[in-house]
């Protein structure tokens, strides 16, 4: 039987192991009962040793002074310890948010992912940012010899004496949510990283324009109406270690063939797509990463092991250019929909892209 950490304002052990902790964030009550989000943080037990000069990663600690907040996609949750470690090794404090009614935050009797407007996630994100601001942890910053000498000549400052910068990191629907949030909350974040963000319906704008009015009417008539999942399990086959992938995860939190979609949720997503299509004005550096190719098919194809089998990556890249004035688009060869669940060589290429981008834009 699954147990839940209490919403007591404290950090508790997380399912990802010793280096991870979680904090339950109460969000009030809706028609299905108490609502929670869950913030996960990475706190390496050997932080001091990993910060020694001889262990500095290539490019140095390019995220020193940064907080990174990761948000997952539909039918998903955070189970990416390798991503947390990569950012932490480069100086960041890393956090991940399981949104309401997903993953660690899903409670018995709740409808998976149910929400009526993507702006409702403002409360989840606000609660996460507040908990991050209350976190006194300051990563040990590795210094090279000359930096160490300079530090001795500089008056010491408390970690509260400077404001940490915030990088938002969203995957799929999480990328859509964070793009819209950054547009509504100008000045709150300092960078936006997107991993295959769901910025447009697979049926393109014309399909969205046909479907959206019908969904909106259906949602008004019956807000609890659900649409059957159209997930054939091919993406899971490319990810799960039980099939042809490399990853083990909780299949109650990430269902192998997806789950029924609340019509009102899909209507909210399509409204978000329409806003993106009209153009956003996110005035911070944006990095959008996609696979180099898509394989969208109703039958299995081995190309799904090295392409995005969920989204049309060309549409994503096109929509990304309308997010703001400073957008970089990188296409990663042989990447899956979640680029950071791809093969090691592909993941490394994606991490290298982040490092190059951060080295140029975030200094």
């Amino acid at each position: 039987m699954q147990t839940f950490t209490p919403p007591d304002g404290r950090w508790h052990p997380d399912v990802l192991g010793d280096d991870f902790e979680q904090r339950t964030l109460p969000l009030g009550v809706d028609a299905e009962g108490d609502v929670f989000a869950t913030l996960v943080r990475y706190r390496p037990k050997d932080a001091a040793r990993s910060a020694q000069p001889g262990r500095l990663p290539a490019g140095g600690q390019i995220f020193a002074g940064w907080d990174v907040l990761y948000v997952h996609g539909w039918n998903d949750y955070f189970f990416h310890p390798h991503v947390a470690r990569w950012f932490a090794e480069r100086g960041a404090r890393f956090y991940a948010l399981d949104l309401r009614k997903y993953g660690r935050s899903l409670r018995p009797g709740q409808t998976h992912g149910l929400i009526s407007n993507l702006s409702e996630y403002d409360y989840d994100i606000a609660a996460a940012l507040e908990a991050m601001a209350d976190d006194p942890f300051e990563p040990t910053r590795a210094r090279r010899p000359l930096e160490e000498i300079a530090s001795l000549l500089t008056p010491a400052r408390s970690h509260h004496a400077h404001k940490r910068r915030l990088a938002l990191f969203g995957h799929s629907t999480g990328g859509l949510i964070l793009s819209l949030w950054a547009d509504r909350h100008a000045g709150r974040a300092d960078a936006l990283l997107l991993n295959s963000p769901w910025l447009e319906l697979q049926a393109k704008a014309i399909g969205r324009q046909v479907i959206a009015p019908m969904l909106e009417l259906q949602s008004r008539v019956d807000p609890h109406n659900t649409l059957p999942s159209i997930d054939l399990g091919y993406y899971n086959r490319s990810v799960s270690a039980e099939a042809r992938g490399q990853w083990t995860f909780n299949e109650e939190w990430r269902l192998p063939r997806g789950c029924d979609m609340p019509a009102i949720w899909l209507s909210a997503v399509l409204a978000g797509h329409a806003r993106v299509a009209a153009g956003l004005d996110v005035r911070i550096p944006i990095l959008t990463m996609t696979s180099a190719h898509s394989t969208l098919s109703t039958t299995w194809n081995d190309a799904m092991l090295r392409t995005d089998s969920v989204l049309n990556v060309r549409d994503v890249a096109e929509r990304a250019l309308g997010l703001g004035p400073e957008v970089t688009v990188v296409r990663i060869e042989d990447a899956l929909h979640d680029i950071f669940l791809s093969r090691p060589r592909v993941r490394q290429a994606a991490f290298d892209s982040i490092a190059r981008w951060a080295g140029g834009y975030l200094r």
Side-chain angles (χ1 to χ4, degrees), residues 179 190-194 281-288 320 322-329 357 361-362:
S179 297
D190 301 283
L192 177 61
L193 296 84
L194 303 174
D281 189 27
V282 181
R283 293 188 170 270
I284 54 178
I286 301 171
L287 173 64
T288 301
L323 296 178
E326 198 170 9
V327 181
T328 302
V329 176
W357 173 80
Y361 280 97
L362 306 187

Side-chain angles (χ1 to χ4, degrees), residues 28-68:
V29 180
D30 70 5
E32 294 186 324
D34 292 329
V35 179
F36 304 96
T38 309
L39 187 65
V40 178
R41 70 177 182 181
Y42 177 61
R43 291 292 174 269
K45 296 296 184 284
D46 62 347
R49 184 174 67 87
S50 64
Q52 295 302 312
R55 297 174 61 87
L56 276 174
Q61 291 192 304
I62 52 176
F63 282 96
W66 285 82
D67 286 347
V68 176

Side-chain angles (χ1 to χ4, degrees), residues 37-281:
T38 309
L39 187 65
V40 178
R41 70 177 182 181
Y42 177 61
R43 291 292 174 269
K45 296 296 184 284
D46 62 347
R49 184 174 67 87
S50 64
Q52 295 302 312
R55 297 174 61 87
L56 276 174
Q61 291 192 304
I62 52 176
F63 282 96
W66 285 82
D67 286 347
V68 176
L69 178 62
Y70 176 97
V71 176
H72 58 83
W74 167 255
N75 186 37
D76 207 357
Y77 72 102
F78 178 72
F79 63 100
H80 303 59
H82 55 294
V83 174
R85 293 188 187 103
W86 188 90
F87 280 99
E89 287 169 358
R90 286 151 184 82
R93 300 196 311 178
F94 184 91
Y95 302 85
L97 180 62
D98 276 14
L99 298 167
R100 63 181 70 193
K101 305 186 183 184
Y102 285 97
R104 299 164 178 84
S105 306
L106 183 64
R107 297 298 189 265
Q110 291 184 336
T111 303
H112 189 114
L114 179 63
I115 203 164
S116 61
N117 191 308
L118 297 185
S119 65
E120 292 177 37
Y121 290 125
D122 284 11
Y123 296 102
D124 305 52
I125 296 169
L129 294 179
E130 183 177 354
M132 291 161 60
D134 288 343
D135 189 350
F137 176 75
E138 183 74 13
T140 302
R141 184 178 184 274
R143 292 192 180 103
R144 294 182 173 87
L146 289 179
E147 291 179 304
E148 191 66 40
I149 294 171
S151 71
L152 296 175
L153 303 176
T154 304
R157 295 192 302 169
S158 164
H159 73 274
H160 294 296
H162 66 280
K163 176 181 179 293
R164 298 186 65 83
R165 293 194 283 177
L166 174 64
L168 302 172
F169 187 8
H171 168 57
S172 200
T173 312
L176 173 64
I177 292 165
L178 290 179
S179 297
L180 296 170
W181 185 92
D183 183 62
R184 288 194 305 271
H185 298 83
R188 294 292 305 278
D190 301 283
L192 177 61
L193 296 84
L194 303 174
N195 166 18
S196 302
W198 190 18
L199 302 180
E200 181 58 278
L201 189 68
Q202 291 86 327
K204 300 182 183 293
I206 189 169
R208 168 169 48 79
Q209 291 161 5
V210 170
I211 296 170
M214 294 187 293
L215 278 175
E216 185 176 358
L217 177 60
Q218 193 175 53
S219 300
R220 288 178 181 176
V221 173
D222 181 5
H224 299 287
N225 184 53
T226 58
L227 306 173
S229 172
I230 58 173
D231 187 343
L232 298 174
Y234 297 151
Y235 177 46
N236 183 75
R237 188 186 301 184
S238 68
V239 171
S240 174
E242 299 295 319
R244 301 184 64 178
Q246 298 181 309
W247 306 96
T248 300
F249 45 83
N250 186 330
E251 292 191 352
E252 292 183 1
W253 293 349
R254 180 188 170 102
L255 289 95
R257 297 192 64 155
C259 56
D260 291 349
M261 296 177 290
I264 197 168
W265 168 85
L266 185 54
S267 181
V269 169
L270 296 186
H273 289 164
R275 286 193 58 202
V276 170
L280 303 184
D281 189 27

